[in-house]
Amino acid sequence: MSITTNSIEERLFNVWMNKSLIVEFEQWVYQSEELKEYLSADAYFDFLDLNYKSETAYHDLKNLISKEISISQFETWSLLHQLDCVKQRRGDYYKFIENFYNLDYYGYTFISKLSHDYSFYMNYPFGKYGTYDFNELTTFKQNELINEFYPSIIEAVNEVEQWLLNENVILLGGKKYFNDLKFIDHRALSETKKNHTEKAEKKWWRFWK
Protein backbone atom coordinates (compact mmCIF):
# COMPACT_ATOMS: atom_id res chain seq x y z
CA MET A 1 0.00 0.00 0.00
CA SER A 2 1.48 3.31 -1.04
CA ILE A 3 0.24 6.74 -2.04
CA THR A 4 3.44 7.61 -3.80
CA THR A 5 6.14 5.97 -5.89
CA ASN A 6 8.61 8.56 -4.62
CA SER A 7 11.07 6.76 -2.34
CA ILE A 8 12.13 10.06 -0.75
CA GLU A 9 8.59 10.83 0.35
CA GLU A 10 8.23 7.29 1.71
CA ARG A 11 11.33 7.86 3.84
CA LEU A 12 10.00 11.16 5.13
CA PHE A 13 6.60 9.67 5.93
CA ASN A 14 8.13 6.71 7.74
CA VAL A 15 10.41 8.70 10.02
CA TRP A 16 7.57 11.16 10.70
CA MET A 17 5.48 8.26 12.00
CA ASN A 18 8.25 6.41 13.82
CA LYS A 19 10.67 8.31 16.05
CA SER A 20 12.86 5.22 16.46
CA LEU A 21 13.93 5.52 12.81
CA ILE A 22 15.71 8.83 13.36
CA VAL A 23 19.19 7.28 13.78
CA GLU A 24 18.85 5.33 10.54
CA PHE A 25 17.39 8.41 8.85
CA GLU A 26 20.36 10.55 9.90
CA GLN A 27 22.82 8.17 8.25
CA TRP A 28 20.70 8.07 5.11
CA VAL A 29 20.65 11.89 4.92
CA TYR A 30 24.45 12.02 4.91
CA GLN A 31 24.74 9.37 2.21
CA SER A 32 21.76 9.93 -0.08
CA GLU A 33 22.36 11.51 -3.46
CA GLU A 34 18.63 11.13 -4.13
CA LEU A 35 17.76 13.45 -1.26
CA LYS A 36 20.29 16.02 -2.45
CA GLU A 37 18.66 16.04 -5.88
CA TYR A 38 15.12 16.05 -4.50
CA LEU A 39 15.52 19.04 -2.17
CA SER A 40 16.50 22.61 -2.83
CA ALA A 41 20.06 23.48 -1.81
CA ASP A 42 18.84 25.35 1.28
CA ALA A 43 16.50 22.57 2.37
CA TYR A 44 19.19 19.94 1.87
CA PHE A 45 21.59 21.97 4.03
CA ASP A 46 18.93 22.19 6.76
CA PHE A 47 18.62 18.40 6.87
CA LEU A 48 22.42 18.04 6.97
CA ASP A 49 22.81 20.72 9.62
CA LEU A 50 20.17 19.35 11.99
CA ASN A 51 21.51 18.07 15.30
CA TYR A 52 19.93 14.62 15.28
CA LYS A 53 21.11 13.90 18.83
CA SER A 54 19.53 16.90 20.52
CA GLU A 55 16.46 16.57 22.75
CA THR A 56 14.40 18.48 20.20
CA ALA A 57 15.74 16.58 17.17
CA TYR A 58 12.51 14.74 16.38
CA HIS A 59 10.42 17.89 16.68
CA ASP A 60 12.91 19.84 14.57
CA LEU A 61 13.02 17.10 11.95
CA LYS A 62 9.24 17.05 11.67
CA ASN A 63 9.28 20.80 11.12
CA LEU A 64 11.71 20.33 8.22
CA ILE A 65 9.67 17.50 6.73
CA SER A 66 6.46 19.53 6.95
CA LYS A 67 8.02 22.08 4.60
CA GLU A 68 8.47 19.40 1.93
CA ILE A 69 5.18 17.49 2.13
CA SER A 70 1.65 18.90 2.28
CA ILE A 71 -0.81 18.35 5.13
CA SER A 72 -3.07 16.55 2.65
CA GLN A 73 -0.30 14.08 1.82
CA PHE A 74 0.47 13.50 5.49
CA GLU A 75 -3.17 12.96 6.37
CA THR A 76 -3.68 10.57 3.49
CA TRP A 77 -0.53 8.58 4.15
CA SER A 78 -1.31 8.36 7.87
CA LEU A 79 -4.86 7.10 7.33
CA LEU A 80 -3.75 4.62 4.66
CA HIS A 81 -1.10 3.37 7.07
CA GLN A 82 -3.73 2.85 9.77
CA LEU A 83 -6.10 1.10 7.37
CA ASP A 84 -3.37 -1.23 6.15
CA CYS A 85 -2.41 -2.13 9.72
CA VAL A 86 -6.05 -2.95 10.47
CA LYS A 87 -6.33 -5.09 7.36
CA GLN A 88 -3.10 -6.97 8.10
CA ARG A 89 -3.71 -7.02 11.89
CA ARG A 90 -0.27 -5.50 12.28
CA GLY A 91 1.24 -3.25 14.95
CA ASP A 92 -1.24 -1.20 17.00
CA TYR A 93 -4.11 -2.05 14.67
CA TYR A 94 -6.62 -2.37 17.50
CA LYS A 95 -5.85 1.22 18.56
CA PHE A 96 -6.45 2.36 14.99
CA ILE A 97 -9.84 0.61 14.97
CA GLU A 98 -10.68 2.37 18.22
CA ASN A 99 -9.60 5.72 16.75
CA PHE A 100 -11.91 5.54 13.71
CA TYR A 101 -14.74 6.72 15.96
CA ASN A 102 -12.79 9.88 16.83
CA LEU A 103 -11.87 10.59 13.22
CA ASP A 104 -15.52 10.30 12.21
CA TYR A 105 -16.52 12.60 15.06
CA TYR A 106 -13.84 15.15 14.16
CA GLY A 107 -15.09 15.35 10.57
CA TYR A 108 -13.91 12.43 8.45
CA THR A 109 -17.47 11.20 8.06
CA PHE A 110 -16.63 9.05 5.03
CA ILE A 111 -15.35 6.41 7.49
CA SER A 112 -18.68 6.25 9.31
CA LYS A 113 -19.10 2.54 8.55
CA LEU A 114 -15.79 1.74 10.23
CA SER A 115 -16.70 4.09 13.05
CA HIS A 116 -20.21 2.87 13.79
CA ASP A 117 -19.97 -0.83 12.95
CA TYR A 118 -16.60 -1.48 14.59
CA SER A 119 -14.91 1.35 16.48
CA PHE A 120 -18.03 2.18 18.47
CA TYR A 121 -18.08 -1.31 20.00
CA MET A 122 -14.48 -0.99 21.12
CA ASN A 123 -15.15 2.37 22.74
CA TYR A 124 -18.43 1.23 24.32
CA PRO A 125 -18.46 -2.57 24.72
CA PHE A 126 -21.18 -2.50 27.39
CA GLY A 127 -23.91 -4.46 25.63
CA LYS A 128 -22.12 -7.79 25.51
CA TYR A 129 -19.26 -7.33 27.93
CA GLY A 130 -20.80 -5.27 30.74
CA THR A 131 -18.27 -2.42 30.76
CA TYR A 132 -17.92 0.94 29.07
CA ASP A 133 -14.13 0.67 28.89
CA PHE A 134 -12.34 -1.66 26.47
CA ASN A 135 -9.24 -1.50 28.67
CA GLU A 136 -11.15 -3.02 31.58
CA LEU A 137 -11.72 -6.22 29.61
CA THR A 138 -9.40 -9.17 30.04
CA THR A 139 -6.99 -9.82 27.19
CA PHE A 140 -9.10 -12.83 26.24
CA LYS A 141 -12.28 -10.71 26.05
CA GLN A 142 -10.49 -7.96 24.12
CA ASN A 143 -9.30 -10.47 21.54
CA GLU A 144 -12.75 -12.04 21.39
CA LEU A 145 -14.35 -8.67 20.67
CA ILE A 146 -11.81 -7.76 17.98
CA ASN A 147 -12.01 -11.20 16.36
CA GLU A 148 -15.72 -10.62 15.80
CA PHE A 149 -14.83 -7.76 13.44
CA TYR A 150 -13.01 -10.03 11.01
CA PRO A 151 -13.25 -10.66 8.14
CA SER A 152 -16.10 -8.17 7.52
CA ILE A 153 -14.05 -5.13 8.57
CA ILE A 154 -11.62 -5.80 5.71
CA GLU A 155 -14.28 -5.01 3.11
CA ALA A 156 -14.98 -1.65 4.79
CA VAL A 157 -11.25 -0.92 4.96
CA ASN A 158 -10.77 -1.76 1.28
CA GLU A 159 -13.56 0.61 0.31
CA VAL A 160 -12.00 3.55 2.16
CA GLU A 161 -8.54 2.71 0.81
CA GLN A 162 -9.83 2.84 -2.75
CA TRP A 163 -11.51 6.19 -2.17
CA LEU A 164 -8.21 7.61 -0.95
CA LEU A 165 -5.97 6.01 -3.56
CA ASN A 166 -8.29 7.01 -6.41
CA GLU A 167 -8.65 10.52 -4.96
CA ASN A 168 -12.40 10.14 -4.63
CA VAL A 169 -11.78 11.47 -1.13
CA ILE A 170 -9.05 14.10 -0.65
CA LEU A 171 -8.07 14.83 2.93
CA LEU A 172 -7.40 18.41 3.96
CA GLY A 173 -6.75 17.86 7.65
CA GLY A 174 -7.57 20.37 10.35
CA LYS A 175 -7.58 20.61 14.11
CA LYS A 176 -9.06 17.77 16.11
CA TYR A 177 -12.23 19.51 17.16
CA PHE A 178 -15.79 18.53 16.38
CA ASN A 179 -16.35 18.57 12.62
CA ASP A 180 -13.06 20.38 11.96
CA LEU A 181 -11.26 17.71 9.92
CA LYS A 182 -12.07 18.57 6.30
CA PHE A 183 -12.07 16.58 3.09
CA ILE A 184 -13.09 17.01 -0.54
CA ASP A 185 -15.66 14.44 -1.59
CA HIS A 186 -15.52 13.29 -5.22
CA ARG A 187 -17.37 10.04 -4.62
CA ALA A 188 -20.33 9.12 -6.77
CA LEU A 189 -23.68 10.17 -5.34
CA SER A 190 -24.64 6.52 -4.93
CA GLU A 191 -21.63 5.97 -2.65
CA THR A 192 -22.34 8.98 -0.46
CA LYS A 193 -26.01 8.02 -0.22
CA LYS A 194 -25.01 4.50 0.79
CA ASN A 195 -22.72 5.97 3.43
CA HIS A 196 -25.48 8.13 4.90
CA THR A 197 -28.05 5.32 4.72
CA GLU A 198 -25.82 2.91 6.60
CA LYS A 199 -25.25 5.55 9.26
CA ALA A 200 -28.97 6.28 9.56
CA GLU A 201 -29.80 2.59 9.76
CA LYS A 202 -27.44 2.09 12.66
CA LYS A 203 -28.06 -1.26 14.23
CA TRP A 204 -29.61 0.14 17.41
CA TRP A 205 -30.48 -3.34 18.61
CA ARG A 206 -26.78 -4.10 19.02
CA PHE A 207 -26.79 -1.89 22.10
CA TRP A 208 -28.70 -4.67 23.80
CA LYS A 209 -26.75 -7.56 22.34
Side-chain angles (χ1 to χ4, degrees), residues 14-201:
N14 285 329
V15 75
W16 176 282
M17 295 291 293
N18 191 342
K19 183 178 181 179
S20 67
L21 295 176
I22 194 169
V23 174
E24 177 187 328
F25 183 82
E26 178 186 10
Q27 295 306 311
W28 174 75
V29 167
Y30 299 147
Q31 299 168 10
S32 175
E33 289 296 322
E34 281 184 296
L35 183 64
K36 184 176 182 179
E37 294 175 5
Y38 177 80
L39 299 173
S40 68
D42 288 343
Y44 180 61
F45 176 79
D46 288 339
F47 276 89
L48 287 175
D49 192 50
L50 182 69
N51 182 355
Y52 289 90
K53 294 177 175 58
S54 73
E55 291 184 0
T56 62
Y58 188 55
H59 177 266
D60 296 339
L61 177 59
K62 290 178 79 171
N63 281 338
L64 290 182
I65 293 173
S66 67
K67 296 176 183 178
E68 305 303 323
I69 298 178
S70 71
I71 293 298
S72 178
Q73 286 176 293
F74 275 124
E75 286 285 307
T76 304
W77 190 90
S78 176
L79 184 51
L80 282 170
H81 170 74
Q82 294 176 55
L83 292 166
D84 193 57
C85 285
V86 170
K87 187 160 62 173
Q88 305 298 333
R89 303 190 74 165
R90 174 168 50 84
D92 292 333
Y93 75 95
Y94 58 95
K95 292 182 180 178
F96 296 145
I97 296 174
E98 192 173 20
N99 191 49
F100 290 149
Y101 187 82
N102 293 325
L103 292 177
D104 179 31
Y105 176 81
Y106 292 143
Y108 284 165
T109 53
F110 62 91
I111 64 169
S112 62
K113 182 173 179 60
L114 287 168
S115 168
H116 290 83
D117 285 0
Y118 305 100
S119 183
F120 179 86
Y121 296 101
M122 283 189 68
N123 284 278
Y124 305 103
F126 180 78
K128 185 173 181 179
Y129 296 96
T131 178
Y132 287 106
D133 190 343
F134 177 79
N135 294 314
E136 290 181 0
L137 298 176
T138 64
T139 301
F140 177 82
K141 290 293 186 182
Q142 288 178 347
N143 289 332
E144 182 181 56
L145 189 158
I146 293 171
N147 286 338
E148 290 180 353
F149 297 159
Y150 290 84
S152 63
I153 193 173
I154 295 176
E155 182 180 351
V157 165
N158 285 338
E159 182 176 52
V160 175
E161 278 187 342
Q162 288 307 306
W163 288 338
L164 294 172
L165 291 169
N166 295 331
E167 297 187 340
N168 299 126
V169 170
I170 299 174
L171 306 185
L172 302 178
K175 296 179 181 178
K176 288 189 174 179
Y177 301 124
F178 173 65
N179 219 25
D180 197 62
L181 289 178
K182 306 298 184 186
F183 66 97
I184 298 172
D185 196 344
H186 291 312
R187 291 175 296 168
L189 185 59
S190 59
E191 291 180 310
T192 57
K193 278 186 175 180
K194 176 186 174 187
N195 199 233
H196 288 304
T197 300
E198 287 175 343
K199 189 171 182 178
E201 293 178 351

